[in-house]
Amino acid sequence: MAGHDLTPQRADDGPAYVTILVVGHLMGFALPVFFESFRDNPLLVACLLSAASIALALLMLPPVKGMFVAFQWAKGMHGFGRTASGPAISQETRCAGDC
């Protein structure tokens, strides 16, 4: 599925919840380490961890959405299921000719 536009697939809030869960845990474990290293400058700790959180979340969101869409494809959910006329087709393929 490389190169396909996955934006119309419904992943809802699942990727955001998983991303927040992972990034929050990583930053929670990193906070005491950074605070010990930069005890004299708490503003630097806040800026570094904030920048790292934003960067990590933005890097994680597309692959996590891909995992959710792949799970939906594997289970035949949200437009990936079989139609009455034959094999499984995606919403993109279905709308390419008629929509």
Side-chain angles (χ1 to χ4, degrees), residues 57-92:
L58 289 175
L59 287 173
M60 280 184 62
L61 272 172
V64 172
K65 181 174 181 181
M67 289 188 296
F68 270 78
V69 172
F71 178 76
Q72 292 172 359
W73 174 79
K75 297 295 182 183
M77 301 164 53
H78 299 298
F80 288 116
R82 296 197 178 276
T83 61
S85 63
I89 57 173
S90 69
Q91 183 70 26
E92 296 170 41

Side-chain angles (χ1 to χ4, degrees), residues 2-70:
H4 290 280
D5 183 23
L6 298 177
T7 52
Q9 298 303 327
R10 293 185 53 205
D12 295 330
D13 293 333
Y17 288 137
V18 170
T19 301
I20 290 170
L21 179 74
V22 172
V23 171
H25 278 84
L26 290 175
M27 292 304 125
F29 286 117
L31 181 62
V33 174
F34 274 78
F35 188 73
E36 279 298 317
S37 300
F38 302 106
R39 184 179 293 270
D40 297 340
N41 198 349
L43 183 60
L44 180 63
V45 173
C47 290
L48 285 174
L49 290 181
S50 296
S53 297
I54 292 168
L56 188 58
L58 289 175
L59 287 173
M60 280 184 62
L61 272 172
V64 172
K65 181 174 181 181
M67 289 188 296
F68 270 78
V69 172

